[in-house]
Amino acid sequence: MSAVASTLPISRPRRRTGAVVRALALAESRRMLRNPLLWAGAGLSVWMMWSVVPEPADEWPGASYEGMAVCVVPLLFAVSVVSAVSFHRERLEVAAEAPVRETQRTVARLVATLPLLLVTVAYAALLAWRQRDLGGLSLGMEPGRTTEALSTTAELAQPVVLTVLAVATGAALGRRLPLVSAVPLLFVMWFLVSVYWLFGDAAITPLSILQVQPVRLHAGSPYADPLDFPTHWLLEGPGEFSAQWSRVFVSGALAWWHAVWLLGLSTLWVAVAVPRGRGRRWLVAAGSFLAVVGVVAQYLVFP
Amino acid sequence: MTIAPLQQAALPTARAIRWAPLLGVSGLLLVVLLLARSADRPVDVVLALASAALASVVVAALHDPAAALLAAVPVSAMQRRVLRLTLVLLPVLALWWVSTVISDSSPGTGNPVPLLALAAAGVAVAVWSPPHLGVLVGAFVPVAWYALDTTVPGAGVLSDVAGWWHTAPGAVLAVALLVLVAGRRR
C-alpha cells in the first residue's frame, strides 16, 4: 500500500495539507496531555526534586547539587512513552487516499509534542526556584567551598533539551517496534542514564546523555597544599572516591555544547522515525554534524 | 496439561517471540556493567535496574498478535502463556547469571528471585487486565515498581511497600503465583 501511495501524483492544494497537519497536531497534542503517565512522571520528578535538601557539612559535598540534576529522569521516561504511543499509531497503514503522506503526519506528531517541552520548561523553572528557596546548594570543601551554588542557565536548559531527545527516542521506537517492546528499552535507556556517576569522568562525560556537573579535574597530589591553588577554584580533597586533590569544575559552556550533542542525537533518532527518502538522509547528515561538533567542542572546553 | 501440542508449538512459538527487546536490553546492560567494572564502581544499582528491565522483557514476551486467532484452539491461553514464559525465561536467567559474573557483585545482589517476583507480578496484572491492553499494562508493572522504589523518598509505608520486590521477593512471588492460579482460566 505504501508503494502505491508513493506513486500517486501530488495534486492536493498546499493549504489543505497545512490544515490537516494542524488538525492532526492539535488532536495528538490533546491526547498526549491527557495521558496520565505524563503527569505521573512529572509528579514523581517534582517529588524527588523537592525531597533533595542541602547535605550536612560533614557529608560528601555536591550530593544535593548532583542529586537535583537526576530527578528529571521519571519525567523523561514518561515523555518518551507518551511520544512512543503517538508514533505507534503510525504503524497502522492508512488508505492511499489519505489527505497527507506519512512525512506530513510525522511532522504533525512532532509539532504536537511542543506542549511537552513546556511541561519541562515549567519543571526547570521550578527547580531553579527551589534552589533559590533553599539558599543555594553546597559544592566543594574548604578552602574551595561554596554553600550558595546554583545551577547555571545552561544546566537548567538540559532537562528541556533532554525532553527533545526523549520525544525523538520515543518517536523512533514507537514507530518501529510494538509498544510492549519499546517500553523495556525506553526504561533501560533512561534509568541507566540516571546512574550518572558511571559517566561522570572527564573523558566520558561529553558522550553521556544526562550530563551531571560538576566534573572533577585533577588539581594536585594528595600532599599538595590546597592554599596554593587559585582562590576561585572549588576543590575536593583526597577521600573515598579520589586519591588526589580535584578541581570541581562547573561550566555553562560545557553544558551548552552538550546540548548541541543531544540535539544531534535527537535528529538521528527522528531520522529513524521518518519514512525513507531525502528527508531521512538530510536528518542523518544534520544529526551527525551536530553530534560531532557538540562532542569535539565539549572536549575543547575543558581547561 | 496437554504436553504434546506444547512440545510441537515450542519451536514456532520461539520464532514468533520478538527477541529484539531482550537483545537491546542485554546489550545496554552488559556495556554499562563492563563500564562500571572497569571504573571499579558499585554495580548494585545497575543490577537492580537489570532485574526490572529483564522482568519487563519477560512480560512483554507474552505479546502475541495472533492471540485472538488462537482463542479457539484446544490449548488454553494460560498454557500458551506458560510456554512463552518458559522459552523467554531461559535466556533471561542465563543473561542474569552472566551479568552477575561480569559485575562481580556483592553477595545477595546476584539473587534472581527479585527478578522473578517482578516478572510474576507483571504477568499477574497482564492476565487480569483487559485482553487488548493486558500485556502492555503488565510490562509496565516492573518498571513502574522500580521507578517508585527509587523515587519515593525517606521512610514510611509507601517507601516500604515500594521496596517489597527486593526486601520480600519470596512473598511477592508467592502472592503473584496465587493470583495467576486464580486466573488460570482467563
Side-chain angles (χ1 to χ4, degrees), chain B residues 69-145:
Chain B
L69 195 65
L70 296 174
V73 302
V75 179
S76 71
M78 186 56 79
Q79 290 172 9
R80 294 198 301 274
R81 288 190 195 107
V82 168
L83 175 61
R84 278 180 170 257
L85 289 173
T86 305
L87 289 171
V88 79
L89 269 174
L90 293 173
V92 162
L93 290 175
L95 174 66
W96 176 256
W97 176 80
V98 169
S99 301
T100 54
V101 167
I102 288 175
S103 61
D104 194 21
S105 57
S106 51
T109 54
N111 183 4
V113 179
L115 188 161
L116 295 172
L118 285 174
V123 172
V125 170
V127 166
W128 282 90
S129 296
H132 62 288
L133 279 179
V135 177
L136 182 60
V137 174
F140 249 110
V141 167
V143 305
W145 202 339

Side-chain angles (χ1 to χ4, degrees), chain A residues 44-82:
Chain A
L44 272 178
S45 285
V46 170
W47 191 2
M48 275 180 78
M49 183 253 289
W50 216 261
S51 67
V52 175
V53 292
E55 62 278 5
D58 57 347
E59 287 194 9
W60 172 54
S64 56
Y65 191 91
E66 295 178 2
M68 270 201 178
V70 182
C71 296
V72 72
V73 166
L75 174 57
L76 295 173
F77 172 61
V79 165
S80 268
V81 173
V82 164

Side-chain angles (χ1 to χ4, degrees), chain A residues 37 44 47-48 51 74 77 81 91 176-181 183-185 187-189 191-192 194-195 197-199 204, chain B residues 18 21 24-25 28 32 35-36 41-42 45-46 49 52-53 56-57 60 63 135-136 140 143 146-148 151-153 158:
Chain A
L37 183 64
L44 272 178
W47 191 2
M48 275 180 78
S51 67
F77 172 61
V81 173
R91 286 172 64 81
R176 301 299 169 194
L177 294 174
L179 272 181
V180 290
S181 301
V183 164
L185 287 170
F187 165 75
V188 163
M189 184 191 136
F191 282 87
L192 273 180
S194 71
V195 187
W197 61 85
L198 288 176
F199 312 103
I204 301 175
Chain B
R18 277 187 175 264
V25 166
L28 285 172
V32 172
L35 193 64
R41 299 294 182 109
V45 171
V46 181
L49 198 154
S56 183
V57 166
H63 174 65
V135 177
L136 182 60
F140 249 110
V143 305
Y146 174 89
L148 204 60
T151 55
V152 171
L158 187 57

Side-chain angles (χ1 to χ4, degrees), chain A residues 15 24 28 42-43 45-46 52 56 73 96-97 99 108 131 135 140 146 157 168 188 211 217 223 226-227 245 251 261:
Chain A
R15 188 179 304 170
L24 179 58
E28 286 293 336
S45 285
V46 170
V52 175
V73 166
E97 293 81 17
Q131 288 184 340
T146 177
V188 163
Q211 185 181 72
L217 304 176
Y223 311 104
L227 295 175
W245 277 98
S251 168
W261 151 248

